[in-house]
Amino acid sequence: MIVTCPANDSEFRQALRLILWQPGLGAADLDERVDVLRQYCTNHDLSLDNVLVAREDSAFVSACLCIDSPGRTSAVFVPVLDRQDRRTEVLVELLRQVVTAGCERGIVYLQAMVEPESREVHVFREAGFTFLARMLYLESDLTQFFLPIASAPSLNWETYNNQTHDLFSKVLVGTYEDSRDCPLLNGVRNVEDILAAHRSTGQFDARLWQVACGPSGPVGILLLAFIPERWSYEVVYMGLLPSCRGQGYAAALLGQAVREARERAVMKLTLSVDETNVPARRWYERFGFRERNRRDAWIRVLQAADSDSER
């Protein structure tokens, strides 16, 4: 009989080792991965308390990890499954328990990033998760020379603070209209949860949160964060208001991101994009972004949207 329950102290490290294991990874490298994860969570004030394990006749069988983030979301991690693995049904049951526990913690939605075409995809589908998007992880080497784009409009930049909070909220929500990046998330979270989630990415610096303003008012928003583990800046979010699309403002926002990173002697810029967002991908390619990885995002919404929900 399979029993699922929170991991006890003796199972905790064993569970993390199972979840972080990859084919070809030796014991020493696996232990290092566990230590890196624990240090990362400590540095970013994230909890590793939400580890569920499955036991069969008191023997450890499988495990699942949830890492809750600001903004009431939780990242879900399960072990890699090979073709002969018989833990599929066990993991589905673990994920059902994850859903119940997430509801109790007030989580809005669970999200898992899965290798495309992997067996884990079947597990999340069976557990009631919905495919959100195939996300492409892009990187640009800023030591390379970029030709200036003469058509990029000149803009003024408002930085984030208590006085501009409402402006950022309004522009951020406005950029979601007809967005091609993960449209299924629209209406799931309220704007305060969204901003909290963005603030939790990397090292938050209000000077790197900027609303772009043209002669007639705001046109878009650019949110950057420093990622010390990779010594890079990440474009956490970039978006344009619908009326301002197709006018070259995307080049202006990307150019601003490049300038901010270079001014701080950081020569790597990263971002992620929905594979189906072809217009954005074309702009990223012009700025030297190249694909480094890809993952499929699966989500399970746990709570009905608040009355003021936006995404």
Side-chain angles (χ1 to χ4, degrees), residues 192-212:
E192 295 303 327
D193 281 342
I194 298 167
L195 289 170
H198 288 330
R199 274 193 296 268
S200 71
T201 301
Q203 293 182 353
F204 171 68
D205 183 343
R207 297 171 300 174
L208 296 174
W209 278 29
Q210 301 174 5
V211 164

Side-chain angles (χ1 to χ4, degrees), residues 103-123:
C103 290
E104 292 172 352
R105 297 197 305 276
I107 297 298
V108 174
Y109 72 86
L110 305 165
Q111 178 170 299
M113 306 305 295
V114 183
E115 185 82 30
E117 316 304 331
S118 67
R119 291 193 67 201
E120 294 88 85
V121 168
H122 170 74
V123 170

Side-chain angles (χ1 to χ4, degrees), residues 1-310:
M1 179 180 178
I2 301 293
V3 177
T4 61
C5 57
N8 59 40
D9 291 343
S10 64
E11 293 169 326
F12 179 74
R13 190 172 185 89
Q14 183 182 3
L16 293 184
R17 292 179 92 254
L18 177 63
I19 292 165
L20 296 176
W21 178 84
Q22 293 287 330
L25 198 64
D29 291 334
L30 182 55
D31 283 331
E32 182 180 359
R33 279 195 173 194
V34 171
D35 293 338
V36 167
L37 174 63
R38 298 182 74 170
Q39 188 60 54
Y40 176 87
C41 289
T42 297
N43 293 344
H44 294 272
D45 198 26
L46 299 172
S47 173
L48 286 172
D49 290 342
N50 298 306
V51 178
L52 287 178
V53 299
R55 304 188 190 105
E56 185 172 14
D57 298 329
S58 300
F60 179 92
V61 177
S62 193
C64 178
L65 166 67
C66 291
I67 300 180
D68 296 350
S69 298
R72 298 190 291 166
T73 65
S74 188
V76 183
F77 302 88
V78 299
V80 172
L81 297 172
D82 60 33
R83 293 181 180 178
Q84 288 75 39
D85 207 313
R86 299 180 178 178
R87 291 174 297 174
T88 300
E89 293 182 4
V90 175
L91 281 177
V92 170
E93 181 56 33
L94 277 173
L95 288 173
R96 287 171 179 156
Q97 296 300 318
V98 161
V99 169
T100 300
C103 290
E104 292 172 352
R105 297 197 305 276
I107 297 298
V108 174
Y109 72 86
L110 305 165
Q111 178 170 299
M113 306 305 295
V114 183
E115 185 82 30
E117 316 304 331
S118 67
R119 291 193 67 201
E120 294 88 85
V121 168
H122 170 74
V123 170
F124 284 102
R125 184 184 294 113
E126 286 295 308
F129 282 65
T130 300
F131 176 74
L132 175 66
R134 178 159 293 173
M135 302 301 298
L136 308 183
Y137 295 88
L138 311 183
E139 180 181 302
S140 180
D141 180 0
L142 301 187
T143 62
Q144 303 299 311
F145 177 72
F146 294 107
L147 293 175
I149 300 177
S151 61
S154 177
L155 296 170
N156 296 317
W157 302 90
E158 291 279 354
T159 56
Y160 180 80
N161 54 50
N162 290 337
Q163 287 69 44
T164 59
H165 176 86
D166 289 345
L167 170 66
F168 273 73
S169 299
K170 182 178 180 180
V171 174
L172 179 67
V173 170
T175 65
Y176 292 149
E177 183 178 342
D178 297 325
S179 172
R180 301 192 186 193
D181 255 1
C182 305
L184 285 178
L185 284 180
N186 290 342
V188 172
R189 290 183 296 172
N190 64 48
V191 69
E192 295 303 327
D193 281 342
I194 298 167
L195 289 170
H198 288 330
R199 274 193 296 268
S200 71
T201 301
Q203 293 182 353
F204 171 68
D205 183 343
R207 297 171 300 174
L208 296 174
W209 278 29
Q210 301 174 5
V211 164
C213 297
S216 301
V219 302
I221 189 170
L222 174 68
L223 308 180
L224 296 173
F226 180 58
I227 311 297
E229 293 83 6
R230 299 195 298 264
W231 200 258
S232 64
Y233 274 99
E234 180 173 332
V235 181
V236 179
Y237 182 78
M238 186 184 95
L240 293 170
L241 295 172
S243 62
C244 302
R245 294 168 189 162
Q247 302 177 40
Y249 288 122
L253 266 64
L254 284 169
Q256 180 73 354
V258 170
R259 284 190 294 273
E260 293 287 3
R262 282 179 167 170
E263 285 177 4
R264 293 163 174 79
V266 176
M267 294 295 120
K268 185 190 296 183
L269 199 61
T270 64
L271 56 81
S272 60
V273 61
D274 187 327
E275 184 183 45
T276 64
N277 192 348
V278 176
R281 290 173 60 189
R282 287 173 180 159
W283 274 113
Y284 298 149
E285 186 174 353
R286 295 180 194 180
F287 276 78
F289 284 91
R290 299 294 180 263
E291 183 179 336
R292 292 291 179 261
N293 205 347
R294 57 176 54 198
R295 288 290 185 271
D296 286 351
W298 288 78
I299 64 168
R300 175 73 185 262
V301 177
L302 305 184
Q303 295 190 33
D306 298 337
S307 59
D308 60 344
S309 287
E310 305 296 347

